[in-house]
Amino acid sequence: MPMRLREQMPELQGVTEWVNGETSKQELAGQPVLVHFWAISCYMCKESLPVLNEWRDKYGEQYNLKLVGIHMPRSEKDTDIGAVKDAINQYGLKHPIAIDNDHAVTDAFQNEYVPAYYLFDAEGQMRFFGAGEKAIGMVEQRLHKILGPKE
């Protein structure tokens, strides 16, 4: 059963490897958080990465939004940590990214999709979930609705 709105953010434990620094539910407490699931074999995921970089900078400043990436492999090929790190460098991702080869975080979130977006408010409650091609457009609307008006 997928996560429900207002459920607490799961722990970020059991990660294969962290890139750009490790983070935890405790470190993120008191701040809005966008958790993004993606895979290097997912074309739509790669298309969304520049937008996520823009949000990390813009909304990080405006709303203190924290971004956490979860690389969720969809095939054996996706478990190549070197290839994941190459993609992280290629797309200029500077936020913490969990390489979740054992699906520990993926299972904690009950996530089945890439790309997938989970938006949590400062109290750690899930306020939005979206997955697939059109989800990225809905995430930004929810950011403003939950975090405050556009500046």
Side-chain angles (χ1 to χ4, degrees):
M1 180 184 291
M3 284 186 69
R4 296 176 191 262
L5 288 179
R6 304 228 181 252
E7 265 191 64
Q8 285 293 308
M9 185 169 102
E11 298 289 341
L12 303 172
Q13 296 175 332
V15 170
T16 307
E17 188 171 329
W18 282 96
V19 180
N20 299 329
E22 185 173 342
T23 193
S24 67
K25 180 179 175 177
Q26 289 70 28
E27 281 179 37
L28 297 167
Q31 305 164 100
V33 180
L34 179 61
V35 179
H36 167 245
F37 286 81
W38 65 290
I40 54 174
S41 62
C42 167
Y43 175 77
M44 274 189 298
C45 295
K46 290 190 242 184
E47 286 215 317
S48 70
L49 295 176
V51 174
L52 290 165
N53 281 338
E54 190 181 302
W55 289 355
R56 180 196 62 230
D57 298 340
K58 181 171 147 187
Y59 299 129
E61 199 172 294
Q62 188 175 338
Y63 299 126
N64 200 28
L65 177 71
K66 300 299 177 200
L67 185 61
V68 179
I70 310 292
H71 183 268
M72 174 186 141
R74 300 187 310 165
S75 68
E76 190 65 34
K77 191 174 174 202
D78 283 357
T79 62
D80 179 344
I81 291 175
V84 176
K85 288 180 175 180
D86 289 346
I88 290 167
N89 289 332
Q90 179 185 344
Y91 288 94
L93 306 178
K94 295 179 176 78
H95 52 278
I97 297 181
I99 299 175
D100 192 29
N101 283 355
D102 297 324
H103 283 209
V105 177
T106 302
D107 291 347
F109 275 76
Q110 301 159 359
N111 183 57
E112 300 174 21
Y113 309 102
V114 290
Y117 308 90
Y118 292 80
L119 180 61
F120 296 89
D121 63 18
E123 285 76 50
Q125 293 184 345
M126 186 173 84
R127 300 294 301 273
F128 173 78
F129 165 74
E133 190 174 4
K134 298 191 177 6
I136 196 154
M138 296 185 295
V139 174
E140 192 166 27
Q141 292 171 352
R142 289 300 195 288
L143 274 170
H144 296 301
K145 185 176 180 186
I146 294 162
L147 304 178
K150 290 184 190 179
E151 283 182 9

